[in-house]
Amino acid sequence: MASSLASRRLFQEYRTLTSSPPDGITAGPVSEDDIFLWEALIQGPEGTPFEGGVFPAELKFPKDYPLNPPSMKFLCDIWHPNVYPTGLVCISILHAPGEDPNHYEQASERWSPIQSVEKILISVMSMLAEPNDESPANVEAAKMWREKRGMFEERVRKSVREGLGLA
Amino acid sequence: MDVADPSDWLKTTVPKLAPVESALRCQVCKDFFDTPMITSCSHTFCSLCIRRCLTNDGKCPVCRTADQELRLRRNWTVQEIVDAFQIARPSLSSLAMLELNHSSVEKPTSKRKLDDTDLEEDTDDPIVTVQRRKTRSHDSRLSNSTDQATAPSPNEAVQAVADENHNGNGSAACPICGQRMKEEAVFLHLDTHNEPDAPSQHNLRKSRRAPSVEVVGTSRTNVKPPERLPQLNYSLMKDVALRKKLSELGIPTTGPRSLLVRRHAEWINIVNANADSSRPKSKREMLRELDIWDRSTGRSIASSGNELNNAGSIMRKDFDGAAWSANHSSDFQDLISKARNTGRADSSPRKNGSPANVIVEQENHESTTSAQLIDGLPERPASSTIPNSDDT
C-alpha cells in the first residue's frame, strides 16, 4: 500500500492500543480519513483529586512521526501546573531533544522515536498524579498547588464534578 | 487492512510469544526488522529507520549515544531469525488459535476436519502426531510445532513472504512450501510433505511453487552490490548546484530549497538502506518510496513555508509577496527603525536572536543567495531586505 512510514506506524500503534489497552486509557484516530489526528480519553488517577474524572484530549502527529513527537491538547478545562490554559500539555516526553522551552529537562526524558502514544498517555496520567512545578505551564495553578494544596485539590475536584455533569 | 501485532498472541494459548515477537520488531517502525543494522552502541534497527533517525538528530533512539551512519553494521543473524519467525508465524498462530477454539467454543467445521484427519491412516508425519496430541501438554506441542515450522529455513535463510494478512482472510501458508490455503487445509496438505525431503528438493519446490520466494544466498553473492551515495554538505551548495545534483540522481527537483535538502537526504537514506539489504529493490520501487515520502512529509515541509523555520517558499515563483509584507509589516517597520538606529554599516542586529530578527536573518539568507547568483555581491545589510525585492 502506498502509505508512509508514519501512517503505518500509527496504524500499528492503534492496533496495539485496541488489543491491549493500558488501564484507564483509550485512544485512536478521530476518523479513518486522517490517521494523524487522534482523540484520547484519560481517567483521572486514583487517590488524586482528579480521580473519577475522564479527560478528553487531542493528539496531533507530525508527518515525520515518529522522528518528531505529536502535540497533545486537553479538550476540557483542566487546572494543572503542567497544562497551559489553552489545554496544551507541557511535558518533557512531548519535546524533541533539540527543543527545551523551559531549559530544565534531561535529554533522557524527552521524545525519541522509540516512545509511543501509549507511553505519552501513561506519562500524562502520572503527570496528573504528580505535577512538576519546576517549569509550570500554568503559573497560577502551580502557585496554588505549591502554596495552597487544599484549595488546589478542591478546585480540581469541583471541575471534575462539573465535567461529569454532577454540579 | 489488518496488521499483525505482537498483542495477537495475548489472546491465544501462548501469550508468552508476545514479547518474543516484540523483540523481533524494530522499535522505531514497530514492524518486523527489515535489513537490521546494529549501531556502535549495540542497538538494532531497520536500516532505513536508523538512517532516518541519524539524519534527524544523529543519536541512537534508544540510548541517545551519538552515532554515524558510516558506523552502522549489518546484523544478518537478526534478519535470519526474523525471516524464519515470519514464515513460522501463520502456522504457529493458527495452532495457538485452534487450541483455543477447541478448548473453549467448539468450532464445527474445523473440528470435523480434524476428526477426519485423525481417522485416516497411520502416518508418522510429526505434524499429524502433534495435532493428535492436542489435548496433552502445551509445551511439547509448542516445541514440536515450532521445530516443524522452522525446520526448512535454518540452512537456507529463506525470504519471508509477506504474510501479514493470514488472519484477515483466514488463509495460512504451509510452513514447508509456503503455498497459501485455508487454515483448516494446512494439516491435510502437510501430508504431502511427509517423505523426508532433502534440502535441495526444498529449494526446487520453493522456486517452482512460490516464485516470490528466493534464496537470499544467491542474491547476496551473485549480484554486484548496489551503489551507495555519499552525504552532501548542503550549506556549501547553491540552489542551482543542488537542483542539478537532484536531477542527476533522477529525483524530483521541484520545491523550495529546504524541501530539496530534505528530499535529497531522504533519497540517500533510501538508496543506502537498499544497499544494505539482502534483497535490494529496483530504482523504480525506491522512487515510489520517495514519492510516498514527498506526498506526506515533503508536502508538509513545503506547506510550512510561511513559518519561521522554513523561509524557502520565499524563493518560489508563486510566493505571495503582498500577503507576506502585509503580515509582517510591523516586523519590517520595527527592523527598519532598529537598523536606522544602529547605523547602516553595522550588520550586528543579525546576531541577536529575537524572533523578529530571525525573519531578517532568513530574508537575508534568501536574498543573499539570489544576490550571489546575480552579481556575486556579499551579504547586504538587514535594512535592505524588504520582501519583494527578488523574485516577484
Side-chain angles (χ1 to χ4, degrees):
Chain A
M1 288 299 284
S3 56
S4 65
L5 169 80
S7 51
R8 277 202 307 274
R9 154 125 183 202
L10 284 168
F11 194 86
Q12 188 90 44
E13 283 197 55
Y14 177 45
R15 184 72 174 64
T16 314
L17 275 170
T18 38
S19 55
S20 56
D23 281 347
I25 288 170
T26 52
V30 174
S31 85
E32 284 185 0
D33 312 327
D34 184 8
I35 193 133
F36 291 94
L37 179 66
W38 285 34
E39 194 170 74
L41 290 173
I42 300 180
Q43 279 178 20
E46 285 173 26
T48 72
F50 295 95
E51 181 174 355
V54 175
F55 305 95
E58 173 190 88
L59 288 144
K60 275 189 187 147
F61 296 88
K63 296 284 190 218
D64 61 355
Y65 182 80
L67 295 181
N68 282 300
S71 65
M72 179 169 171
K73 195 175 163 182
F74 277 107
L75 299 173
C76 58
D77 273 346
I78 184 162
W79 184 248
H80 189 284
N82 304 111
V83 180
Y84 285 100
T86 56
L88 200 67
V89 179
C90 179
I91 178 173
S92 54
I93 196 176
L94 290 174
H95 299 144
E99 55 180 90
D100 185 354
N102 301 302
H103 307 286
Y104 76 100
E105 295 163 355
Q106 298 287 313
S108 62
E109 56 196 27
R110 302 229 214 113
W111 177 256
S112 143
I114 65 163
Q115 305 291 7
S116 60
V117 177
E118 178 176 343
K119 291 199 185 126
I120 291 171
L121 296 177
I122 291 173
S123 301
V124 169
M125 219 168 161
S126 71
M127 172 202 86
L128 291 180
E130 291 165 38
N132 175 351
D133 67 340
E134 278 176 54
S135 71
N138 183 339
V139 181
E140 289 304 307
K143 254 167 87 180
M144 192 188 272
W145 183 78
R146 204 180 306 158
E147 291 159 12
K148 301 169 193 157
R149 187 69 59 90
M151 210 171 140
F152 175 86
E153 293 183 353
E154 191 41 49
R155 175 161 179 173
V156 169
R157 277 195 208 96
K158 185 164 170 278
S159 74
V160 165
R161 281 196 303 275
E162 279 167 5
L164 294 172
L166 299 176
Chain B
M1 85 178 151
D2 195 21
V3 178
D5 189 84
S7 57
D8 294 344
W9 298 106
L10 299 176
K11 293 168 287 188
T12 70
T13 50
V14 274
K16 283 177 181 163
L17 276 176
V20 175
E21 182 168 328
S22 293
L24 296 177
R25 287 170 177 265
C26 168
Q27 294 194 73
V28 173
C29 64
K30 311 279 184 199
D31 211 335
F32 283 112
F33 283 115
D34 173 16
T35 315
M37 305 293 279
I38 189 160
T39 61
S40 37
C41 46
S42 304
H43 294 110
T44 298
F45 307 94
C46 302
S47 183
L48 187 53
C49 293
I50 185 62
R51 285 173 188 280
R52 280 172 165 157
C53 291
L54 292 178
T55 305
N56 192 46
D57 65 358
K59 295 197 179 79
C60 166
V62 171
C63 64
R64 294 174 212 269
T65 309
D67 206 353
Q68 296 160 337
E69 292 179 53
L70 289 172
R71 299 171 72 183
L72 297 173
R73 292 291 174 268
R74 291 178 192 140
N75 199 343
W76 290 126
T77 309
V78 169
Q79 179 83 70
E80 282 169 22
I81 299 170
V82 168
D83 288 351
F85 182 81
Q86 281 190 278
I87 290 173
R89 195 185 196 274
S91 42
L92 212 53
S93 120
S94 52
L95 252 184
M97 293 299 282
L98 217 62
E99 173 65 19
L100 199 70
N101 291 337
H102 192 73
S103 54
S104 54
V105 193
E106 300 263 359
K107 211 174 146 195
T109 51
S110 65
K111 179 143 194 298
R112 203 178 317 122
K113 270 274 193 327
L114 293 175
D115 290 346
D116 289 351
T117 329
D118 279 359
L119 289 175
E120 278 173 344
E121 69 19 86
D122 254 328
T123 62
D124 292 322
D125 188 322
I127 295 252
V128 177
T129 323
V130 164
Q131 193 191 330
R132 270 205 254 109
R133 245 192 272 146
K134 272 169 99 330
T135 45
R136 288 179 221 156
S137 102
H138 274 209
D139 290 341
S140 64
R141 192 169 352 94
L142 179 60
S143 61
N144 266 339
S145 61
T146 316
D147 288 346
Q148 186 61 28
T150 54
S153 41
N155 305 330
E156 305 161 9
V158 175
Q159 174 181 355
V161 192
D163 50 15
E164 305 278 349
N165 59 345
H166 69 280
N167 276 334
N169 56 18
S171 81
C174 165
I176 293 178
C177 67
Q179 194 181 330
R180 303 195 71 83
M181 64 200 76
K182 284 216 167 110
E183 254 169 46
E184 300 89 333
V186 172
F187 294 114
L188 281 175
H189 165 83
L190 278 172
D191 290 349
T192 64
H193 294 299
N194 66 0
E195 75 284 2
D197 273 317
S200 59
Q201 281 173 301
H202 275 312
N203 275 339
L204 273 177
R205 208 170 267 184
K206 261 180 207 97
S207 47
R208 217 174 29 217
R209 295 199 186 173
S212 65
V213 174
E214 68 183 55
V215 176
V216 172
T218 51
S219 59
R220 216 184 278 170
T221 48
N222 297 350
V223 180
K224 77 174 168 75
E227 198 188 341
R228 283 171 192 277
L229 293 175
Q231 314 260 349
L232 290 183
N233 187 340
Y234 302 109
S235 54
L236 293 179
M237 289 185 92
K238 293 178 185 159
D239 284 14
V240 174
L242 186 55
R243 268 181 224 278
K244 187 156 167 266
K245 189 83 197 166
L246 264 59
S247 85
E248 280 168 15
L249 291 169
I251 58 178
T253 58
T254 52
R257 179 185 171 90
S258 57
L259 177 56
L260 299 185
V261 168
R262 294 280 299 274
R263 185 187 289 136
H264 183 264
E266 176 69 11
W267 180 245
I268 288 185
N269 288 341
I270 292 175
V271 168
N272 290 350
N274 194 50
D276 294 330
S277 173
S278 55
R279 20 186 199 257
K281 288 170 269 193
S282 66
K283 187 171 180 188
R284 182 192 291 265
E285 282 174 273
M286 292 195 284
L287 282 170
R288 214 174 63 89
E289 275 181 43
L290 185 69
D291 185 51
I292 292 170
W293 178 90
D294 238 318
R295 276 181 289 140
S296 55
T297 316
R299 191 172 288 175
S300 78
I301 294 171
S303 66
S304 67
N306 285 338
E307 287 168 23
L308 290 179
N309 62 2
N310 194 332
S313 64
I314 295 174
M315 293 297 282
R316 266 163 40 190
K317 292 274 178 264
D318 58 349
F319 175 68
D320 187 350
W324 178 275
S325 55
N327 278 341
H328 296 91
S329 66
S330 63
D331 288 340
F332 293 130
Q333 293 307 323
D334 193 34
L335 290 168
I336 290 166
S337 62
K338 251 190 215 158
R340 286 206 174 110
N341 289 342
T342 50
R344 269 168 196 282
D346 186 5
S347 61
S348 64
R350 305 177 74 249
K351 290 202 174 96
N352 80 54
S354 82
N357 281 330
V358 176
I359 295 178
V360 172
E361 194 169 328
Q362 292 184 340
E363 292 271 34
N364 221 346
H365 171 75
E366 292 304 335
S367 55
T368 302
T369 321
S370 43
Q372 283 173 341
L373 292 179
I374 297 160
D375 54 17
L377 275 177
E379 294 175 3
R380 286 175 281 172
S383 57
S384 69
T385 58
I386 308 293
N388 287 336
S389 58
D390 316 308
D391 235 50
T392 35

